[in-house]
Amino acid sequence: MFQNTFHLCSPHQIRVATTEQLRSDFLITGLFDVGQVRLHYVYQERMIVGGVMPCDRPLFLPAFDETPGGGSVAMLNRREMAVINIGMGSGTILVDGTCYRLARFATLYVGQGAESVCFASDDSARPAKFYLTSTPAHAAFPTRHIDLSQGKLLKLGSQEQVNRRSIYQLVEPSVCPSAQLLFGLTILEPGSVWNTNPPHRHLLRSEIYLYCDMDAADRVFHFMGTPDETRHLVVRQEEAVICPSWSIHMGAGSGRYAFVWAMGGENQDYDDIERLSLTKLR
């Protein structure tokens, strides 16, 4: 069912990790394949990350294998999920018989207990690309379609620090209630390269960044690690980075890009972060 499983990592491990070890432990690649559902299991907050790219036929969210002795259960039986369409073409998601159409950058929150989730593209020549993140849920909330215009918009950064950006909070308590999942999209303004500056980390939550809306030749240099032991990953279009609670996260791109962020953990307070000075990094 899962393409890869990402286990918990200690901050001490990165002190001696090679580039390939860092990429193996923290970088999620190969999310999208035409006509496939590709899912990855991340033990940080027990998140599931996936890409669904339907073409000439609908694709269903697979069921969980529940017990070693057999039997299965719907993946969202005890989970919630947010899905965003990052493709150029539009598509639909059918949740227990109700159809939702997602244009580019539209999001669907699917609450705990959904039994059947089916993805389709409106045009096989321009397929939708559905990126999903799922976390365990302790309560059920209504499924909801969210356009960017319905999200909570934050305008942050400055031209002087080349980090002007629009942050769209899409699954957030004041916009779309959820059990624990926080989910949104950040789009950088033209000429800005830093997705946050100075960096920060969330001591009560883990986060996953999916970098998107990039040219194929461009790269984002994603910085991670503890403040006194930083490392970096070179990230391509439609690759995701796992950001544990102990790790800083910030990045700079060689060209235009956006990123989808998703968090799970002990609270849903977006501003509960530890801000770090660049002068303290090593």
Side-chain angles (χ1 to χ4, degrees), residues 3-4 12 18 34 38 42 66-67 110 114 118 151 167 223 262-263 272 281:
Q3 262 43 64
N4 287 295
H12 302 296
T18 65
V34 176
R38 301 182 68 85
V42 179
E66 182 72 354
T67 63
V110 185
C118 180
I167 300 174
F223 297 92
M263 288 184 274
D272 184 11
L281 301 187

Side-chain angles (χ1 to χ4, degrees), residues 27-273:
L27 188 66
I28 304 174
T29 63
L31 276 163
F32 293 99
D33 192 5
V34 176
Q36 299 294 323
V37 178
R38 301 182 68 85
L39 301 176
H40 303 260
Y41 195 92
V42 179
Y43 274 97
Q44 299 285 345
E45 314 302 344
R46 295 193 173 271
M47 300 173 84
I48 293 175
V49 177
V52 184
M53 195 174 175
C55 187
D56 55 1
R57 62 182 177 88
L59 298 173
F60 283 86
L61 194 67
F64 266 163
D65 292 329
E66 182 72 354
T67 63
S72 61
V73 67
M75 193 182 103
L76 300 181
N77 184 49
R78 291 187 294 274
R79 286 181 162 272
E80 59 188 351
M81 178 175 71
V83 186
I84 187 169
N85 178 15
I86 63 169
M88 299 305 296
S90 60
T92 58
I93 303 178
L94 191 68
V95 180
D96 291 341
T98 301
C99 186
Y100 303 88
R101 176 159 275 101
L102 271 66
R104 179 169 167 81
F105 289 154
T107 292
L108 185 70
Y109 169 79
V110 185
Q112 176 194 12
E115 295 183 356
S116 175
V117 182
C118 180
F119 304 84
S121 291
D122 290 340
D123 183 353
S124 60
R126 288 166 56 88
K129 287 185 177 181
F130 297 108
Y131 170 71
L132 66 87
T133 306
S134 172
T135 54
H138 62 273
F141 291 87
T143 295
R144 180 174 171 184
H145 179 280
I146 310 145
D147 286 322
L148 284 187
S149 61
Q150 298 172 300
K152 182 178 179 181
L153 175 60
L154 303 177
K155 292 277 192 178
L156 297 181
S158 67
Q159 191 59 50
E160 290 75 18
Q161 289 190 308
V162 288
N163 67 345
R164 291 176 60 190
R165 60 205 188 274
S166 298
I167 300 174
Y168 295 90
Q169 297 179 350
L170 302 170
V171 178
E172 187 269 347
S174 67
V175 178
C176 175
S178 65
Q180 71 156 311
L181 183 62
L182 291 173
F183 188 88
L185 174 70
T186 297
I187 301 175
L188 274 72
E189 301 290 335
S192 286
V193 298
W194 288 97
N195 57 48
T196 181
N197 184 7
H200 64 271
R201 59 183 174 179
H202 310 276
L203 298 179
L204 296 179
R205 295 190 302 277
S206 298
E207 188 166 13
I208 293 178
Y209 277 14
L210 172 82
Y211 289 101
C212 60
D213 201 28
M214 297 168 55
D215 289 336
D218 282 325
R219 298 291 184 269
V220 172
F221 289 76
H222 179 97
F223 297 92
M224 59 165 294
T226 58
D228 64 339
E229 195 80 33
T230 58
R231 297 290 187 270
H232 75 272
L233 294 167
V234 180
V235 185
R236 300 183 300 175
Q237 161 83 330
E238 296 171 357
E239 293 182 336
V241 180
I242 300 165
C243 310
S245 58
W246 49 261
S247 177
I248 69 165
H249 38 280
M250 65 185 299
S254 62
R256 181 195 70 193
Y257 71 98
F259 65 97
V260 182
W261 47 269
M263 288 184 274
E266 292 191 35
N267 67 25
Q268 292 181 304
D269 182 359
Y270 181 84
D271 293 320
D272 184 11
I273 62 177

